[in-house]
Amino acid sequence: MPLRSGESEEEDWAKGFETYAGLESDAVPSRAAAVRGPGFRPVRGLATAVTLLLALAAAAAVHGLVADIDAFRHAGGPSPAGGYDARAFRLLDEVRDRHGTASSLQLWAMAATAGVFIAWFHRVRTNADALHPRACSTGAGWAIGVWFVPLVNLVMPWLIAREVTCASGRPAREGAARHEDVARTASLTLLNAWWAAWVASKALLVIGSRLPAADDEMALTHGTSGVWIGIDALNLVAAVLAILHVQQLTRLQQRGHARVTAPAAPRGD
């Protein structure tokens, strides 16, 4: 049987990524593993780790938001007699120091979260094959690779996550309870909201980097701080929505795995 696009070499380095991160574990045997492809692998531990790290990223975003609001407030007052006194500039320097600390915290929080999140993302993608083979249009290796390609990483991760969510919430058989479709629809709504907030924060970052320079130092700080308030607010919203999405998709996959491995009901005579 020919491999789908993205398999082979991508699968090799995808598995190597999890091994390098110390997140490799044995697959859970599946009742139909030989027929359905790769076995279902535990996802709850990774989901817990991602949740904790996303909570750390959210806390860092709150810290940055407070620092940016302070900078916006201190730099936005009217210029007395065409200038600012020494106290105003001293306060502004203190605010900038807090902003620098907040930016460093956010950077470290994002770096710590990224690796574990991608490992979780790859895990749920491979589990989708165990639950419903051929439900996804790309190989599991793409669940890692797409994050590192500029512009592609604004669309493809969302498309993969959508396919994984649909596969994870799909009823195991025809005539199954419709509450599974309701759960899948709710998960897609949460996924779309998270992704919209994340992409909006990146777009606002690009817009902020292209703001025209101002001769007035206070005016420049006021303008850039206003942009960073929006970026930090969107990062905070995105982190919270990502936590909810991770938990919701993890529950969907666990329920789907329970359906697949449940013993078949005895047939009557």
Side-chain angles (χ1 to χ4, degrees):
M1 178 178 177
L3 295 175
R4 298 194 308 277
S5 63
E7 294 183 343
S8 67
E9 290 88 352
E10 289 90 347
E11 285 296 309
D12 291 338
W13 61 261
K15 293 175 182 176
F17 177 87
E18 288 194 352
T19 302
Y20 175 79
L23 300 167
E24 183 71 25
S25 62
D26 295 333
V28 174
S30 174
R31 176 169 57 90
V35 178
R36 304 181 66 85
F40 188 92
R41 302 174 67 196
V43 70
R44 172 55 63 187
L46 277 174
T48 300
V50 171
T51 297
L52 293 174
L53 288 170
L54 283 170
L56 177 63
V62 170
H63 185 258
L65 186 59
V66 171
D68 293 328
I69 290 174
D70 280 346
F72 185 82
R73 181 168 54 87
H74 284 297
S79 175
Y84 294 88
D85 57 22
R87 180 177 178 275
F89 283 103
R90 186 176 67 254
L91 289 174
L92 186 60
D93 287 339
E94 293 175 359
V95 168
R96 283 173 172 170
D97 288 341
R98 289 200 299 273
H99 172 78
T101 302
S103 297
S104 297
L105 287 174
Q106 286 182 282
L107 182 62
W108 282 105
M110 290 175 61
T113 304
V116 182
F117 180 88
I118 293 174
W120 170 85
F121 193 67
H122 178 255
R123 179 71 58 86
V124 294
R125 169 59 189 84
T126 57
N127 283 348
D129 284 339
L131 297 174
H132 288 282
R134 295 178 295 278
C136 298
S137 59
T138 59
W142 287 97
I144 294 176
V146 294
W147 293 97
F148 302 98
V149 183
L151 298 182
V152 171
N153 59 14
L154 298 178
V155 178
M156 278 300 296
W158 171 78
L159 292 175
I160 293 173
R162 182 179 176 85
E163 290 183 336
V164 169
T165 302
C166 289
S168 302
R170 180 181 300 173
R173 60 190 180 278
E174 293 298 327
R178 294 295 79 166
H179 74 271
E180 295 164 347
D181 286 340
V182 173
R184 179 178 59 185
T185 301
S187 295
L188 287 177
T189 300
L190 190 55
L191 166 65
N192 294 338
W194 160 53
W195 198 252
W198 189 80
V199 172
S201 71
K202 304 308 174 188
L204 192 56
L205 182 62
V206 172
I207 293 173
S209 66
R210 285 166 169 74
L211 286 178
D215 294 333
D216 189 333
E217 184 180 6
M218 287 289 189
L220 178 61
T221 301
H222 183 71
T224 55
S225 297
V227 173
W228 275 104
I229 288 173
I231 293 172
D232 286 334
L234 286 170
N235 283 337
L236 175 59
V237 172
V240 173
L241 291 174
I243 290 172
L244 297 176
H245 172 67
V246 167
Q247 293 298 315
Q248 200 169 47
L249 181 53
T250 299
R251 287 194 299 270
L252 274 180
Q253 290 210 335
Q254 288 179 317
R255 286 199 294 264
H257 178 57
R259 290 194 304 266
V260 171
T261 56
R267 300 177 60 183
D269 295 333

